[in-house]
Amino acid sequence: MTRILLIVGGGIAAYKAAELIRLLKTRGHAVRCVMTESAHHFVTPMTLAALSEDKVYTTLWDLKDEAEMGHIQLSRQADLIVVAPATADLMARMVAGLANDLATTLLLATDKPVLVAPAMNVRMWSHAATVRNVAQLRADGVTVMQPDEGMMACGEYGPGRLPEPPAIVAAIDAMLAPTPPKRLAGRHVLVTAGPTHEPIDPVRYIANRSSGKQGFAIAAALARLGARVTLVAGPVTLPTPPAVDRIDVETAREMAAAVDHALPADAAVMVAAVADWHVESVPQKIKKGEATPTLMLAENPDILATLARSPHRPRLLIGFAAETERVIEHAVAKRVRKTADWIVANDVSGDVMGGADNSVHLITEAGVESWERLPKDAVATRLAERIADALEAAP
Ligand code: CTP
């Protein structure tokens, strides 16, 4: 049984803590709740006590509890601390190392992993101070979830909504999962991710909707299995996963050169949405008012196909196929055309690009395997395990 200490911050999303407790209890976890002073305005201790079947802790100055169980034990007796919802204020106090209430005192005293699920107004989330605080918390080893995007209680739209309770549970499961054996130790795996930008002139460019999330998740999963990972990333704003060597590029031609430079590799996973063409760009900004310009496109190198023909071809070469119709049929043909070993095909006609989930088909010589819709992290973990299987089978 896992013991989770849930710190409930003071935001309108505090009511979702009730559902989170219910989900955690049905999975057999023990949940003990701590509320900040302001959380009382949004949810009652009675609700959380009833659902958690435990006393709810609210204040540092409850002497009886200090005698029975000091705040140090309260934080140490847990296996994991979850802060949900985490307000901008609570995160700022965590960053500053303040201990001016029970919640922050526990967070400062703990030696256990901490998961933070933020919820706040979109402007508060994108404020430079919060951006700085999130980066600092992550640098301090705290796992900070990305808030959901959507309509907010205050009527504004954007990122800042508390991740849904099932997503918080998935993040908790990932943190509690035992560290996998380093099956890829001693292997070098190359990953491309993100879009490419193809300049039209010094200020304009052609791009695509790739967010880089799936490729970054794959790089992270491979590194967790002990691989040395080189991640060649197009222009994205994602943080570099732990223990991954990242090379930032802008254009397809730069990506091709970086891939070539990173060889040899035991496996390569080409997740990037590489632009098929570049523009024969001009050195000066094109001015409006003159004749409407015509873009002259020239084909980009096909990085995957080039790698497949290279004398340094990795033993396992995996391509991605983003399709909007006849997904499997196109992807099966793409595997043969590009002489890749595997193609991971996904249907991008919905909200996959930029979204958190992906439903993919793994196409190999042996046939087609359709995976259920999964968070991108879970797709990445499964693919990394399959890569380890393949490299172990044919060393
Ligand atoms: N790819 C690449 N270099 C390119 C284009 C694509 O390495 N210039 C790789 C992608 O990283 C991906 C795979 O090829 O792994 C499939 O990309 P996709 O754009 O779907 O294939 P295309 O060759 O562009 O085929 P089509 O336009 O017919 O879908």
Side-chain angles (χ1 to χ4, degrees):
M1 182 176 61
T2 310
R3 293 158 307 175
I4 295 170
L5 186 71
L6 175 65
I7 296 180
V8 180
I12 190 72
Y15 75 93
K16 288 192 185 167
E19 173 68 0
L20 177 60
I21 297 167
R22 203 188 58 75
L23 288 177
L24 291 171
K25 293 288 286 183
T26 56
R27 295 170 82 87
H29 298 313
V31 184
R32 175 166 281 167
C33 296
V34 169
M35 298 174 77
T36 63
E37 186 62 38
S38 49
H40 286 79
H41 296 290
F42 299 96
V43 66
T44 69
M46 183 67 86
T47 309
L48 304 187
L51 288 166
S52 65
E53 299 171 279
D54 200 348
K55 179 174 158 48
V56 172
Y57 294 81
T58 55
T59 164
L60 258 178
W61 310 118
D62 189 337
L63 290 179
K64 187 162 168 290
D65 281 324
E66 276 302 305
E68 269 175 14
M69 179 200 291
H71 57 270
I72 306 286
Q73 286 95 314
L74 194 53
S75 71
R76 300 260 170 97
Q77 277 181 354
D79 298 303
L80 176 74
I81 300 194
V82 179
V83 189
T87 59
D89 173 75
L90 189 47
M91 291 199 296
R93 289 189 289 137
M94 287 173 75
V95 167
L98 294 184
N100 52 2
D101 64 0
L102 180 60
T104 48
T105 304
L106 293 173
L107 286 161
L108 200 58
T110 192
D111 57 353
K112 297 293 162 33
V114 178
L115 174 70
V116 165
M120 67 196 70
N121 167 274
V122 52
R123 293 210 186 280
M124 292 170 82
W125 173 252
S126 53
H127 192 283
T130 307
V131 171
R132 210 163 49 230
N133 288 340
V134 168
Q136 188 58 55
L137 283 174
R138 287 185 174 142
D140 292 346
V142 173
T143 305
V144 183
M145 293 181 73
Q146 199 60 23
D148 277 357
E149 202 166 319
M151 188 56 84
M152 320 208 74
C154 53
E156 289 184 52
Y157 187 92
R161 287 163 55 97
L162 183 73
E164 288 303 324
I168 301 177
V169 171
I172 291 171
D173 286 347
M175 285 180 75
L176 293 173
T179 27
K182 305 279 182 215
R183 301 178 62 199
L184 288 171
R187 313 275 194 189
H188 179 211
V189 186
L190 180 60
V191 179
T192 65
T196 62
H197 284 181
E198 307 297 333
I200 297 170
D201 67 16
V203 295
R204 305 178 177 96
Y205 58 82
I206 297 179
N208 62 62
R209 294 187 194 281
S210 168
S211 66
K213 282 181 192 163
Q214 185 64 79
F216 273 57
I218 290 169
L222 291 163
R224 280 197 299 274
L225 294 188
R228 176 164 77 81
V229 180
T230 304
L231 171 62
V232 180
V236 293
T237 51
L238 299 171
T240 308
V244 164
D245 295 327
R246 172 175 180 171
I247 300 163
D248 284 315
V249 297
E250 191 187 344
T251 67
R253 287 167 293 168
E254 285 170 18
M255 187 173 274
V259 164
D260 192 50
H261 194 250
L263 294 171
D266 297 285
V269 195
M270 316 303 274
V271 197
V274 186
D276 289 315
W277 299 279
H278 63 267
V279 184
E280 292 187 346
S281 65
V282 292
Q284 303 302 334
K285 185 182 166 194
I286 303 169
K287 301 299 284 180
K288 198 167 60 181
E290 296 161 13
T292 306
T294 306
L295 298 184
M296 290 299 294
L297 299 178
E299 206 164 312
N300 271 331
D302 189 315
I303 304 169
L304 174 61
T306 308
L307 197 53
R309 289 190 302 265
S310 149
H312 299 295
R313 184 194 197 278
R315 197 140 27 96
L316 182 63
L317 183 55
I318 305 169
F320 264 64
E323 309 287 354
T324 53
E325 38 111 41
R326 294 190 287 157
V327 176
I328 293 176
E329 188 186 324
H330 283 309
V332 167
K334 202 167 277 183
R335 192 186 82 85
V336 175
R337 193 171 70 241
K338 298 207 179 194
T339 58
D341 297 303
W342 300 350
I343 289 279
V344 180
N346 60 353
D347 184 341
V348 290
S349 56
D351 59 357
V352 162
M353 283 193 145
D357 294 342
N358 209 353
S359 44
V360 306
H361 310 276
L362 179 64
I363 291 151
T364 68
E365 199 179 1
V368 180
E369 247 181 59
S370 297
W371 296 357
E372 67 274 25
R373 187 182 169 92
L374 291 166
K376 286 181 176 174
D377 283 340
V379 170
T381 305
R382 197 181 286 188
L383 186 65
E385 292 288 353
R386 295 296 295 268
I387 291 171
D389 291 343
L391 293 180
E392 277 167 12

